[in-house]
């Protein structure tokens, strides 16, 4: 069983994660983890924090000679900004500065304070912050390396920012080259200037912007997940994991909500046979009946505008219940490009977890052989 836990606050000492269940002898390239962390920090419309932090991962345990040992792998990303917050965020003491008493609409502030009985809502926002996705991206980057050894690749792009939408027919063979050529990770580079102008307009008006991201996995074998219990369905597991990413408000697979508008004959993918089973189309997004079906897994997620606004909405001071403008923390205007990288990492973890669950091996040699044998068997069916 592959699982992980992470910990850390946005202005604390560090973000940490422990991954348990990785097979031994998986080659780990730290540079590839850091490349993914850099992508997460990029994008037009990001805030001042990205000028302070240059996220790099430190592997604390579970890897020797660039290979996993089969024991838990511990990762750490230090927060450089902690030096400016030590008197506020130290585990040993706090001077009480930067307390938050006015909740920000759209954030976890108020509900978290009610649930955990906090007077200072900084105790909530420090952990609820999307800064936590940095360490989740590192975990996903490790999982991408596992999947890569099994012939599975995971990639992501931005489909829309606000009402600027990319309707491109995507060529997956040249996917990475296209999206890496611009700041917003959009497949159609011609739309980037239009999206930037919209982000600039939002900044001038004290607003923020959301959008839609797409994550695609190629080379996924049929049969990950199961129909036998609700909690084993791979789309349910992926959907739940993606919904756990801060600011995500909706998830769809394949044509998703569009399927509700069409006749059945225009939704379901006809089955063909030519050196194995294939689908004529991929409206299902590579998942049927809670299982991968061998086609590319295609998932999209809707990100709401970031709720920290530089023209703040009205709220309430929880100390005296007076009307007040919502608190303002340093934030992004648009982080959709970063969100695409985070969702890519999350999908990678869920697929790696499903692979390890189905093929259950203690080392990469056995795991690769099991996956290869399985692919050969179902190809001959």
């Amino acid at each position: 069983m592959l699982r992980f836990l992470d910990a850390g606050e946005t202005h604390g000492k560090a973000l940490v994660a422990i991954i348990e269940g990785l097979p031994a002898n998986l080659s780990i390239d730290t540079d590839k983890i850091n490349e993914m962390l850099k992508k997460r920090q990029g994008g037009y419309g990001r805030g001042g924090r990205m000028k302070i932090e240059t996220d790099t991962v430190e592997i604390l345990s579970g890897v020797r000679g660039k290979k996993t040992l089969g024991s838990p792998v511990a990762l750490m990303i230090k927060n450089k900004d902690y030096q400016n917050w030590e008197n506020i965020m130290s585990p040993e003491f706090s001077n009480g500065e930067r307390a938050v008493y006015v909740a920000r609409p759209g954030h976890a502030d108020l509900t978290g304070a009610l649930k955990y009985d906090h007077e200072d809502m900084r105790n909530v926002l420090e952990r609820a912050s999307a800064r936590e996705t940095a360490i989740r991206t590192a975990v996903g980057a490790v999982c991408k390396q596992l999947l890569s050894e099994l012939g599975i690749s995971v990639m992501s792009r931005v489909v829309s920012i606000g009402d600027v939408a990319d309707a491109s027919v995507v060529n997956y063979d040249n996917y990475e080259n296209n999206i890496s050529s611009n700041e917003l990770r959009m497949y159609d580079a011609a739309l980037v200037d239009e999206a930037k102008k919209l982000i600039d307009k939002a900044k001038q008006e004290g607003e923020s912007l959301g959008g839609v991201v797409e994550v695609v996995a190629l080379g996924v074998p049929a049969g990950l997940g199961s129909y036998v219990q609700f909690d084993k369905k791979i789309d349910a597991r992926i959907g739940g994991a993606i919904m756990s990413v801060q600011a995500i408000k909706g998830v769809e697979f394949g044509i998703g909500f569009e399927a509700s508008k069409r006749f059945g004959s225009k939704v379901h993918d006809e089955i063909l046979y030519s050196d194995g089973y294939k689908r004529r189309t991929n409206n299902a997004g590579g998942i049927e009946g809670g299982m991968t079906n061998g086609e590319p897994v295609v998932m999209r997620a809707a990100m709401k505008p970031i709720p920290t606004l530089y023209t703040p909405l009205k709220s309430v001071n929880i100390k005296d219940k007076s009307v007040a403008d919502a608190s303002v923390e340093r934030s992004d205007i648009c982080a959709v490009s970063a969100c695409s990288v985070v969702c890519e990492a999350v999908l990678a973890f869920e697929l790696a977890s499903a692979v390890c669950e189905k093929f259950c091996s203690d080392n990469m040699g056995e795991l690769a052989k099991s996956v290869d044998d399985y692919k050969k068997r179902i190809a001959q069916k």
Side-chain angles (χ1 to χ4, degrees):
M1 177 182 178
L2 186 63
R3 61 177 182 168
F4 79 95
L5 288 174
D6 70 66
E9 287 75 46
T10 186
H11 295 109
K13 290 184 177 182
L15 302 168
V16 295
I18 295 177
I19 313 172
E20 184 181 49
L22 285 171
N25 296 321
L26 168 64
S27 295
I28 299 295
D29 186 336
T30 305
D31 288 342
K32 288 183 178 179
I33 302 174
N34 290 334
E35 285 170 13
M36 196 161 177
L37 290 173
K38 185 177 180 179
K39 288 179 183 178
R40 176 197 163 275
Q41 290 193 282
Y44 194 76
R46 303 303 305 279
R49 184 70 182 268
M50 298 305 105
K51 297 176 182 177
I52 297 172
E53 305 286 358
T54 302
D55 290 337
T56 56
V57 71
E58 182 178 348
I59 299 176
L60 303 179
S61 70
V63 176
R64 181 169 182 250
K66 297 187 177 181
K67 289 187 179 290
T68 55
L69 303 176
S71 52
V73 172
L75 308 176
M76 177 174 68
I77 299 172
K78 291 182 179 178
N79 287 328
K80 291 183 180 178
D81 203 20
Y82 179 66
Q83 63 184 353
N84 301 315
W85 288 76
E86 187 169 1
N87 290 337
I88 300 168
M89 292 301 300
S90 168
E92 287 78 27
F93 66 92
S94 172
N95 61 13
E97 292 180 11
R98 302 296 297 270
V100 176
Y101 300 121
V102 181
R104 298 164 300 166
H107 275 287
D109 302 354
L110 179 58
T111 305
L114 296 173
K115 176 180 174 64
Y116 290 102
D117 195 23
H118 291 308
E119 183 177 85
D120 179 1
M121 287 180 286
R122 179 160 300 285
N123 293 341
V124 178
L125 68 87
E126 284 288 331
R127 178 58 182 166
S129 166
R131 175 72 183 148
E132 178 261 351
T133 62
I135 196 67
R136 267 204 275 180
T137 298
V139 171
V142 171
C143 292
K144 282 190 66 174
Q145 293 181 48
L146 183 151
L147 294 172
S148 180
E149 289 200 20
L150 304 174
I152 300 170
S153 58
V154 185
M155 55 199 79
S156 65
R157 69 176 176 123
V158 170
V159 174
S160 66
I161 291 176
D163 61 2
V164 179
D166 184 350
S168 299
V169 176
V170 176
N171 176 6
Y172 296 127
D173 293 335
N174 200 34
Y175 193 100
E176 188 63 34
N177 289 337
N178 273 46
I179 63 167
S180 62
S181 65
N182 64 78
E183 293 177 85
L184 291 177
R185 296 179 60 79
M186 300 183 87
Y187 192 80
D188 185 352
L191 292 173
V192 172
D193 285 344
E194 186 180 348
K196 281 185 174 181
K197 288 177 183 176
L198 186 60
I199 293 169
D200 289 340
K201 182 174 184 286
K203 184 176 181 178
Q204 290 168 5
E205 297 177 359
E207 286 283 359
S208 60
L209 281 167
V212 174
V213 303
E214 177 183 87
V215 188
V216 176
L218 307 179
V220 181
L224 298 185
S226 179
Y227 58 87
V228 300
Q229 288 289 353
F230 70 93
D231 58 346
K232 292 184 179 293
K233 295 184 177 184
I234 193 70
D235 45 354
R237 290 164 60 171
I238 293 170
I242 295 293
M243 286 298 296
S244 77
V245 175
Q246 290 84 341
I248 296 299
K249 299 301 287 185
V251 178
E252 66 178 13
F253 294 89
I255 60 172
F257 289 102
E258 174 64 25
S260 67
K261 304 174 186 177
R262 301 184 184 182
F263 289 116
S265 62
K266 304 300 182 184
V267 171
H268 303 295
D269 304 306
E270 292 184 321
I271 300 172
L272 312 174
Y273 187 86
S274 176
D275 296 323
Y277 294 102
K278 296 178 175 61
R279 304 305 192 278
R280 188 183 300 277
T281 53
N282 191 25
N283 293 333
I287 298 175
E288 293 174 308
M291 300 169 289
T292 56
N293 64 12
E295 297 295 323
V297 173
V298 181
M299 182 227 73
R300 292 186 175 189
M303 179 188 187
K304 70 180 181 181
I306 292 169
T308 294
L309 300 177
Y310 288 101
T311 302
L313 298 172
K314 292 298 181 184
S315 185
V316 174
N317 186 309
I318 64 171
K319 289 179 72 72
D320 61 14
K321 310 304 184 289
S322 61
V323 175
D325 289 338
S327 299
V328 177
E329 292 282 315
R330 180 177 53 204
S331 185
D332 303 315
I333 303 302
C334 179
V336 182
S337 55
C339 182
S340 71
V341 179
V342 174
C343 290
E344 179 181 327
V346 170
L347 178 61
F349 175 81
E350 292 301 323
L351 290 178
S353 178
V355 165
C356 289
E357 182 179 296
K358 177 168 178 55
F359 299 102
C360 193
S361 301
D362 295 317
N363 62 77
M364 282 303 297
E366 290 179 357
L367 179 62
K369 185 178 186 305
S370 295
V371 172
D372 190 51
D373 288 347
Y374 174 77
K375 287 181 177 178
K376 289 177 181 177
R377 180 179 69 78
I378 62 174
Q380 293 168 359
K381 273 286 189 178

